[in-house]
Each structure stands twice: as structure tokens, then as C-alpha cells.
């Protein structure tokens, strides 16, 4: 994911991933500086180790809809009009 962010920024600024990493790296984080509406300088951390994967197993415990097969019966195809 970190490489994808660097590659996107590099493509937009016509630079290599190494150049983008050198410009925006702050330790292990990728930090992008910007100015808010009042003109104050701020920084946004775009990547700092990734995101945790959320598991939704407890939500679907009582849900029987996912266990029921979804079947559809269609009439057999034929060439004549009837």
C-alpha cells in the first residue's frame, strides 16, 4: 500500500518513487505538507504502517440468508414461438 501511494504521487509529479520517498519521508511515515484555509502550515500523515483488517464474523452469526443457496430456474430455450 505504501508503494502504491508513492507511485501515485510520483506519477502526478513526474518523479520516481525514490525521489518522492526522499522528499516526503519522515522516519517510517509518508508525510505531506499543506496549508489550510487560514494559511497555517500543516502536515498530513498518509502512511504509517498500514491499516488493520477488520473481521465481520460476529455480525453474520445469526444471518441465515448467506447460507441459503441462490438458485434461479429458467425455462428451456427453444427456437419456435409458442
Amino acid at each position: 500500500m505504501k508503494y502504491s501511494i508513492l507511485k501515485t504521487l510520483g506519477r502526478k509529479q513526474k518523479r520516481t518513487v525514490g525521489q518522492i520517498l526522499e522528499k516526503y519521508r519522515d522516519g517510517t511515515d509518508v508525510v505531506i505538507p499543506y496549508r489550510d484555509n487560514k494559511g497555517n502550515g500543516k502536515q498530513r500523515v498518509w502512511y504509517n504502517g498500514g491499516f488493520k483488517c477488520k473481521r465481520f464474523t460476529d455480525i453474520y452469526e445469526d444471518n441465515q440468508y448467506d447460507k441459503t443457496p441462490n438458485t434461479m430456474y429458467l425455462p428451456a430455450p427453444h427456437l419456435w414461438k409458442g
Side-chain angles (χ1 to χ4, degrees), residues 9 13 20-26 29-33:
L9 287 173
Q13 297 181 10
I20 294 296
L21 189 58
E22 185 178 310
K23 183 177 180 180
Y24 294 117
R25 181 175 29 192
D26 184 26
D29 299 339
V30 176
V31 179
I32 309 294

Side-chain angles (χ1 to χ4, degrees), residues 17-78:
V17 173
Q19 289 170 339
I20 294 296
L21 189 58
E22 185 178 310
K23 183 177 180 180
Y24 294 117
R25 181 175 29 192
D26 184 26
T28 58
D29 299 339
V30 176
V31 179
I32 309 294
Y34 70 98
R35 295 200 178 273
D36 63 0
N37 294 338
K38 297 178 182 178
N40 300 328
K42 293 188 174 187
Q43 290 184 344
R44 173 69 57 138
V45 177
W46 281 95
Y47 184 85
N48 60 352
F51 303 99
K52 290 186 177 183
C53 180
K54 294 180 181 179
R55 302 289 178 195
F56 296 108
T57 55
D58 57 332
I59 295 173
Y60 298 112
E61 280 182 2
D62 298 331
N63 189 356
Q64 297 297 320
Y65 296 110
D66 289 337
K67 295 179 183 176
T68 305
N70 185 9
T71 56
M72 183 185 334
Y73 299 102
L74 298 173
H78 52 83

